[in-house]
């Protein structure tokens, strides 16, 4: 029953995120919003909603280490497994703005989590600090994108494909309704997933953090994984998928974790395994991307394969450690 709840919850999170991203994007285009802004806002936020929903629900239930493990595990999945899979199938080109702004934000945000957790505790004030950093980064990204849309080489006007005719109110109401339905499905999916995850942890006698680092992390990363693999297999431009993946990796340890901490107790004791192993690995995974990205400004097939192998080794370590 717990396994069924877990997978039903994961499926609901994926369906809900897809509804939010699809209908939010269409609605934004109806309102003549630039595709750049759509990608940086609707897509990134929509694919990060599962982590936020699980984070808030888990904190209110007192499963703080499952929430922390989920966010740390999601970062490692994004940075090593998903990026690695994309590159192993087809080399991934990296834009200059990713190197100048987004990747440093991922490294600083991850490092800030490590610094704040180094004493073995998270406090509400830590959540506020992470949230403030994330909002600041997000504001800079949107402001930069808007400035480029106006002054850069791209024309500020949307193309005919990106600028559908204004529909009647009936279509807008339908899109808003589907978007809200997606949000509701995500909320219920988070509840079901947590029920299943906690039940599995109790039945196996392992920590909530381990389940968060593995099954829940992979489950909540499903929207990013689906977006990345779909764009890679189709052979089209993967700029939005790469930007979404890096944007989510900057958002998870800051806005998502920071916002989640506000719904928990004033102080949360962080398990030593998280502080000493998984959180440092999260930071290392972000730092390792720097030389990879700088090598020809792309991630090669070999580098992608090595990233997958690194994630497999980490997962093997977690399973081996849990069985001892």
């Amino acid at each position: 029953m717990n396994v069924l709840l877990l997978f039903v919850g994961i499926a609901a999170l994926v369906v809900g995120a897809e509804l939010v991203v699809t209908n939010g994007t269409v609605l934004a285009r109806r309102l003549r919003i630039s595709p750049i802004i759509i990608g940086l806002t609707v897509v990134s936020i929509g694919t990060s909603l599962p982590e936020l929903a699980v984070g808030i629900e888990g904190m209110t239930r007192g499963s703080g280490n499952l929430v922390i493990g989920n966010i740390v595990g999601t970062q490692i999945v994004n940075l090593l497994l998903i990026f690695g899979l994309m590159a192993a199938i087809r080399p991934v080109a990296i834009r200059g703005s990713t190197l100048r702004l987004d990747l440093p934000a991922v490294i600083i945000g991850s490092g800030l989590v490590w610094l704040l957790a180094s004493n073995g505790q998270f406090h509400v004030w830590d959540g506020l600090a992470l949230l403030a950093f994330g909002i600041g980064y997000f504001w800079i990204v949107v402001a930069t994108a808007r400035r480029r849309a106006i002054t850069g080489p791209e024309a500020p006007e949307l193309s005919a494909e990106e600028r559908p005719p204004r529909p009647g109110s009936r279509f807008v109401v339908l899109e808003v309704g589907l978007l809200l339905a997606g949000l509701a499905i995500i909320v219920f999916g988070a509840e079901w997933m947590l029920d299943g995850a906690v039940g599995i942890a109790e039945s196996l006698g392992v920590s909530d953090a381990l389940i968060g680092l593995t099954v829940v992390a992979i489950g909540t990363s499903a929207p990013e994984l689906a977006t990345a693999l779909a764009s890679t297999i189709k052979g089209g431009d993967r700029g939005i998928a790469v930007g979404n993946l890096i944007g989510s990796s900057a958002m998870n340890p800051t806005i998502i974790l920071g916002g989640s901490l506000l719904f928990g107790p004033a102080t949360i004791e962080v398990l030593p395994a998280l502080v000493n192993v998984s959180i440092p690995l999260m930071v290392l995974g972000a730092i390792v991307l720097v030389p990879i990205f700088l090598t020809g400004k792309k991630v090669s097939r070999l580098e992608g394969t090595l990233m997958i192998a690194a994630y497999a080794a980490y997962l093997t370590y977690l399973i081996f450690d849990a069985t001892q």
Side-chain angles (χ1 to χ4, degrees):
M1 185 62 181
N2 290 325
V3 174
L4 178 62
L5 273 175
L6 178 70
F7 284 102
V8 169
I10 290 174
L13 290 174
V14 174
V15 171
E18 178 63 23
L19 283 173
V20 169
V21 170
T22 300
N23 292 281
T25 300
V26 172
L27 188 61
R29 284 178 175 171
R30 303 289 191 200
L31 300 174
R32 305 296 197 269
I33 297 174
S34 165
I36 298 175
I37 305 300
I38 293 172
L40 291 169
T41 56
V42 177
V43 177
S44 291
I45 293 172
T47 55
S48 294
L49 281 176
E51 287 90 344
L52 181 60
V54 170
I56 294 174
E57 180 74 17
M59 286 295 181
T60 57
R61 291 184 178 203
S63 300
N65 278 285
L66 187 149
V67 172
I68 298 167
N70 172 40
I71 292 172
V72 172
T74 297
Q75 282 292 92
I76 298 172
V77 169
N78 286 350
L79 298 174
L80 295 181
L81 180 60
I82 300 180
F83 245 123
L85 285 171
M86 288 180 67
I89 297 172
R90 185 158 55 95
V92 180
I94 305 299
R95 297 179 303 176
S97 59
T98 299
L99 294 169
R100 291 190 300 269
L101 176 62
D102 302 319
L103 186 54
V106 174
I107 295 172
I108 294 172
S110 301
L112 188 57
V113 171
W114 191 11
L115 176 65
L116 295 175
S118 60
N119 62 352
Q121 296 179 330
F122 271 127
H123 303 279
V124 172
W125 295 112
D126 297 334
L128 291 173
L130 292 170
L131 193 59
F133 177 83
I135 292 173
Y137 158 75
F138 196 71
W139 180 84
I140 292 172
V141 168
V142 173
T144 302
R146 291 188 63 183
R147 186 165 58 250
R148 283 178 183 161
I150 296 172
T151 63
E154 302 98 341
E157 294 293 328
L158 300 178
S159 66
E161 294 78 10
E162 296 164 341
R163 185 176 55 193
R166 291 187 183 276
S169 59
R170 178 168 61 89
F171 292 95
V172 174
V173 170
L174 176 63
E175 287 153 7
V176 171
L178 290 173
L179 189 150
L180 294 176
L183 292 174
I185 292 172
I186 287 173
V187 171
F188 284 111
E191 185 174 348
W192 297 331
M193 173 186 269
L194 280 171
D195 285 338
V198 172
I200 291 173
E202 291 176 350
S203 63
L204 295 178
V206 298
S207 68
D208 289 355
L210 176 64
I211 300 298
L213 285 166
T214 53
V215 181
V216 177
I218 295 173
T220 55
S221 295
E224 287 91 343
L225 178 61
T227 301
L229 291 183
S231 63
T232 299
I233 293 171
K234 289 178 181 177
D237 181 17
R238 293 183 290 179
I240 291 180
V242 172
N244 172 42
L245 198 56
I246 293 291
S248 297
S249 297
M251 191 178 297
N252 286 335
T254 56
I255 292 178
I256 305 301
L257 179 56
S260 300
L261 288 172
L262 302 184
F263 291 86
T267 302
I268 296 175
E269 299 293 332
V270 185
L271 291 178
L274 287 172
V275 178
N276 298 328
V277 179
S278 294
I279 294 178
L281 181 62
M282 173 184 70
V283 179
L284 181 61
I287 294 174
V288 165
L289 289 182
V290 175
I292 291 177
F293 282 11
L294 288 175
T295 307
K297 291 188 177 180
K298 71 176 183 179
V299 184
S300 67
R301 284 192 173 92
L302 175 59
E303 290 166 337
T305 302
L306 291 175
M307 291 162 74
I308 296 172
Y311 180 78
Y314 167 68
L315 194 60
T316 302
Y317 163 79
L318 288 178
I319 296 173
F320 177 79
D321 185 63
T323 58
Q324 298 305 307

